[in-house]
Amino acid sequence: MSEYELTVFVDADIADSGVKWSKLYGFKAAGDNHPQSKPLVWFDTGEYATRTSIKWDTRCWVYVAKPRRDQEPLTSYSPRELRCGEKFLVDSSKGSGEEQKYDDPTHIAVINMAGKSLRTGLAGKVSVAGTPVETAPYCENPLAKGAMTTFKPVEKVILFVAQSSSEESKIKKGIVVENALSAGVVIDAAVADRDDEEMKVHFNEKAGTWSWPEGAAWARSIGQGDDLTNFIHF
């Protein structure tokens, strides 16, 4: 298991202004083979500071839930920790089933044996500003009766900050967000780990812009309106 830490710095003048901060949102990538996979809000917080640590590791869970209706947040799900090279035969929407060996050591598989349509995806744990977040889903796949879907864990994280209260009202943890509502940053933790670099990014709330060390190969920008599904599928 590998562990990662990302440090977010916020412009000090803005932080000391006494103005209520907009929420910080986190998404996580997942490599999978389903064209209808959607990104979910992994975490959201308004409790960040001038220096905020975000920590996670490479453990991953698969979850099972009933099919989504409209834009409702995913609030009821059954996570189960799995490793690459394992498959899960689901026999109910409550998440019961049997784990077996899977012949691809780089992927996790989920097979729907429940006799009805379900949804599934990956979930993970994260700690933001020292506060642990429960095992939370970060992607969603429809899973038809008798179907199989596969996932490949990817250590890429997307951050953005809503720039208005109307945007915040649209975004809740566990809800599908297909397009970035503001400029953001994509962090590739595996690249930073390979290059033995600390992951540090800066956010200027007044300008709504992100920055990172010049030449860092582990960070890239996303713009307002960009399709987030392009960043979660690998």
Side-chain angles (χ1 to χ4, degrees):
M1 179 183 73
S2 297
E3 298 179 330
Y4 300 104
E5 181 175 8
L6 167 65
T7 306
V8 179
F9 294 89
V10 178
D11 185 277
D13 293 337
I14 303 301
D16 295 336
S17 66
V19 176
K20 181 182 177 181
W21 291 3
S22 299
K23 281 189 175 181
L24 171 68
Y25 295 91
F27 297 77
K28 194 170 186 292
D32 63 80
N33 67 355
H34 202 297
Q36 293 179 316
S37 181
K38 304 294 184 184
L40 299 177
V41 177
W42 189 26
F43 68 82
D44 66 319
T45 181
E47 301 300 319
Y48 56 100
T50 55
R51 178 186 174 120
T52 298
S53 174
I54 300 172
K55 297 180 180 180
W56 74 97
D57 58 49
T58 52
R59 292 176 299 169
C60 68
W61 286 254
V62 296
Y63 72 88
V64 176
K66 295 179 180 179
R68 177 166 52 90
R69 295 179 299 179
D70 300 322
Q71 288 296 314
E72 65 179 2
L74 178 59
T75 57
S76 180
Y77 50 89
S78 300
R80 176 182 293 253
E81 186 174 3
L82 287 183
R83 295 177 176 85
C84 290
E86 294 182 337
K87 63 183 177 182
F88 181 43
L89 279 61
V90 185
D91 61 22
S92 81
S93 59
K94 295 182 180 180
S96 59
E98 180 184 358
E99 296 175 21
Q100 296 182 356
K101 184 179 179 180
Y102 184 51
D103 57 9
D104 184 343
T106 66
H107 283 70
I108 293 168
V110 183
I111 304 173
N112 184 0
M113 308 294 289
K116 55 185 176 182
S117 294
L118 299 170
R119 60 177 155 165
T120 186
L122 292 182
K125 292 184 177 180
V126 61
S127 174
V128 183
T131 302
V133 177
E134 66 178 359
T135 306
Y138 51 81
C139 69
E140 170 186 291
N141 283 358
L143 190 62
K145 180 173 62 175
M148 180 180 81
T149 191
T150 61
F151 302 100
K152 181 179 181 180
V154 178
E155 299 309 323
K156 289 190 177 184
V157 171
I158 300 173
L159 301 178
F160 69 75
V161 175
Q163 294 295 289
S164 71
S165 58
S166 62
E167 288 177 343
E168 287 193 5
S169 67
K170 300 176 185 176
I171 313 174
K172 298 177 181 178
K173 181 182 171 183
I175 201 169
V176 170
V177 177
E178 297 188 53
N179 300 96
L181 297 182
S182 63
V185 58
V186 183
I187 306 294
D188 190 335
V191 171
D193 191 45
R194 179 196 66 201
D195 295 341
D196 197 26
E197 294 180 323
E198 288 187 84
M199 296 184 294
K200 297 180 179 180
V201 295
H202 293 253
F203 177 66
N204 184 310
E205 190 166 13
K206 185 176 182 180
T209 57
W210 293 84
S211 60
W212 45 88
E214 184 176 357
W218 45 264
R220 60 173 294 187
S221 62
I222 60 173
Q224 183 178 17
D226 281 0
D227 186 352
L228 294 182
T229 61
N230 290 333
F231 297 96
I232 70 160
H233 297 163
F234 299 91

